[in-house]
Amino acid sequence: MRLTVFGATGGIGQEIVRQALTAGHKVTAVVRDPARLTVTGEGLEVFRADVLDPEAVRPAVAGRDAVLSGLGARNRADAARGVATELTRGVLRAMDAEGTRRLLVVSAGPVGPQPADSPLLDRAMLGVVDRVLRDVYTDLTAMEAELAASATDWTSVRPPRLTDKPLTGNYRTAVGGFPRSGRTIARADVAHAMLGMIDDRGTVKQGVGVAY
């Protein structure tokens, strides 16, 4: 497949690029600073552009089978400004202009509904996290509203707390919800899940919780 990856220099983005190249896909990595992209390999095209300029990124999404995004706020100040929403809006506009349909993005577990039978400890922990990261989740909720209003075949992948552990391939997913007692997942496994959902029609226009 021909894939485009936004946020390709981030933790999840670089994993998407690395795993996609290993699987034999052609990958266009959209970056602002090519020096920050440490992944190399046959089939990789590095495309330098500002995602806030939809016209500039249109060539990067034209004719692609899917677009995957690891874009998001790097800190709470970015989140308070709505960075994830703004950047994703730029991607959506470029895709709409080129007629590219399939889009998978990284969101966060607390944005979606939680299992009704979640243990009390899990609900308490979620409440604490929500207060600390309220700006982040507000931004991601607005981002998901942009997805829902778009013409794309989108999927929002919602992980809990991220770690840098190696890829396991051993995780749970929940379409439209979140795995019960799912507290962590490695960035590598989030990337693996996103690549695996590209051709999964059951995840189209859905939020998908992913966790161990």
Side-chain angles (χ1 to χ4, degrees), residues 8-137:
T9 58
I12 292 175
Q14 295 213 52
E15 281 293 338
I16 294 172
V17 173
R18 182 179 295 109
Q19 292 179 36
L21 290 173
T22 299
H25 300 304
K26 302 293 185 182
V27 179
T28 299
V30 181
V31 299
R32 284 188 293 181
D33 180 6
R36 294 183 58 207
L37 182 64
T38 61
V39 182
T40 60
E42 185 178 351
L44 175 64
E45 174 193 9
V46 180
F47 188 97
R48 185 173 186 174
D50 183 351
V51 183
L52 293 176
D53 182 358
E55 288 299 314
V57 299
R58 281 180 61 176
V61 302
R64 298 318 194 266
D65 297 298
V67 174
L68 300 95
S69 173
L71 294 169
R74 289 175 294 182
N75 50 55
R76 292 178 66 184
D78 281 352
R81 298 200 310 271
V83 165
T85 304
E86 188 176 14
L87 293 173
T88 302
R89 188 181 296 125
V91 173
L92 289 170
R93 288 176 178 170
M95 291 179 65
D96 183 60
E98 294 296 335
T100 303
R101 298 279 303 183
R102 189 69 173 114
L103 173 64
L104 301 97
V105 306
V106 176
S107 183
V111 172
Q114 303 301 306
D117 61 346
S118 291
L120 180 60
L121 178 59
D122 288 352
R123 294 198 298 271
M125 290 175 61
L126 184 62
V128 171
V129 171
D130 183 60
R131 287 192 295 274
V132 172
L133 298 178
R134 189 174 302 277
D135 287 339
V136 174
Y137 298 141

Side-chain angles (χ1 to χ4, degrees), residues 12 69 104-115 126 137 140-145 147-148 154-162 171-180 182-186 189-191 193-194 197 203 205-212:
I12 292 175
S69 173
L104 301 97
V105 306
V106 176
S107 183
V111 172
Q114 303 301 306
L126 184 62
Y137 298 141
L140 292 175
T141 299
M143 179 195 73
E144 292 205 14
L147 297 177
W154 58 271
T155 299
S156 175
V157 180
R158 300 167 174 163
R161 184 172 64 84
L162 297 167
Y171 49 82
R172 297 173 293 146
T173 60
V175 177
F178 194 77
R180 188 177 188 272
R183 297 180 182 176
T184 65
I185 189 168
D189 277 318
V190 176
M194 292 177 72
M197 291 178 199
T203 66
K205 298 187 186 300
Q206 296 284 343
V208 182
V210 56
Y212 294 140

